[in-house]
């Protein structure tokens, strides 16, 4: 199974594509592609979102994932931020819809549960689990890419249990 | 000047296209197209946003506006809503970017200032001004379409004063 994980953001959007190995044991996957799309408030909203769309679309075309997974976002007293992160996710959703790729979303506790085994694991434990599952010598960087890969692996975990969570 | 006004929303998104007449007197325009795109939480996020994208794209192709204008959104303690309205605007921005149409945004007070002449006018006065500027016998309905037309007229007003406000 190929999964595209997305860490949504308007200044930094992480994209990670993994190929998940079959079998019922520990989750094993390898990294097919990782990038962080960076945009600036100087370039205008449509340009920012249009560029995000193009990168997501390119990743979908190059790797033909069977699922796209995003982390659910929680915003506390940050409406402005929520709105702009929403723009970025809108572009992701347009690209997924055009390619017919189903979209899934998991909350931070579900990520921790899937990758570490309990919902209150520290961030470092998640990073270690991502590194282990992907067989990497070092933790993926930057953090936006690590988050995108974590969410892709999380989808693989729940899909294997027939507990995938459509957005 | 042809302007596409958008009232962004995830369950209801208003689209209004106007042709603005030249000249320096009172703002005069006529309605070329109006619709409200409705989506449901039952149909999945990518489908909702993908359909919004397709309608905006169709309006841009059919009417070739030289500008797209949206109302700035303010959300108070409604992060979840802000995020989802953001998805819708993301789709709008992708469509505008693909067609090379510049995007502008105005706040509610700027709309009132432009259409009624002072920033604290009641909603009814705005509706009356929209009706007058477009030469309509009745106020446009539903409210999401009226809002989309108000924002299109607002852009025409500020563009004429060389005070357009890019998003
Ligand atoms: Mg509305």
């Amino acid at each position: 199974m190929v999964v595209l994980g997305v860490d949504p953001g308007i200044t930094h959007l992480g994209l990670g594509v993994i190929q998940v190995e079959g079998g019922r044991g520990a989750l094993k996957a390898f990294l097919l592609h990782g990038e962080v799309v960076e945009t600036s408030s100087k370039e205008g909203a449509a340009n920012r979102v249009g560029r995000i769309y193009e990168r997501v679309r390119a990743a979908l075309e190059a790797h033909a994932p069977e699922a796209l997974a995003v982390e659910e976002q929680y915003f506390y007293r940050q409406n402005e931020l929520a709105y702009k992160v929403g723009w970025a996710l809108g572009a992701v959703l347009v690209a997924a819809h055009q390619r017919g790729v189903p979209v899934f979303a998991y909350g931070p506790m579900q990520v921790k549960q899937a990758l570490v085994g309990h919902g209150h694991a520290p961030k470092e434990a998640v990073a270690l689990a991502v590194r282990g599952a992907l067989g990497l010598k070092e933790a993926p960087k930057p953090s936006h890419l690590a988050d995108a890969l974590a969410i892709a692996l999380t989808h693989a975990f729940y899909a294997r249990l027939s507990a995938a969570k459509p957005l």
Side-chain angles (χ1 to χ4, degrees), chain A:
Chain A
M1 176 169 56
V2 175
V3 181
L4 169 58
V6 176
D7 177 30
I10 186 68
T11 56
H12 295 89
L13 181 133
L15 292 178
V17 185
I18 60 170
Q19 163 91 53
V20 185
E21 289 173 27
R24 307 230 113 251
L27 203 57
K28 279 281 160 206
F30 58 94
L31 179 61
L32 292 177
H33 175 74
E35 72 179 294
V36 174
V37 186
E38 294 187 40
T39 78
S40 155
S41 58
K42 288 183 193 129
E43 65 186 292
N47 211 64
R48 303 177 84 173
V49 174
R51 289 206 297 110
I52 289 168
Y53 164 82
E54 283 160 11
R55 296 313 305 156
V56 175
R57 176 94 196 203
L60 291 171
E61 283 171 9
H63 302 286
E66 71 189 65
L68 187 157
V70 300
E71 186 158 328
E72 280 173 355
Q73 301 287 313
Y74 300 95
F75 304 94
Y76 302 102
R77 290 185 261 285
Q78 294 184 78
N79 292 305
E80 173 80 14
L81 178 65
Y83 190 43
K84 290 188 178 174
V85 176
W87 301 356
L89 190 63
V92 171
L93 292 170
V94 170
H97 181 251
Q98 288 182 334
R99 296 281 302 178
V101 177
V103 178
F104 303 89
Y106 304 91
M109 285 186 60
Q110 291 173 305
V111 172
K112 290 174 176 184
Q113 185 68 50
L115 301 185
V116 185
H118 55 101
H120 294 283
K123 208 173 161 60
E124 294 70 32
V126 174
L128 203 67
V130 169
R131 216 183 94 184
L134 292 170
L136 301 173
K137 285 193 180 148
E138 294 187 14
K141 280 186 182 147
S143 64
H144 302 288
L145 174 57
D147 290 346
L149 294 169
I151 203 79
L153 287 164
T154 298
H155 174 70
F157 177 86
Y158 289 108
R160 213 162 62 158
L161 300 173
S162 301
K165 233 183 95 199
L167 180 63

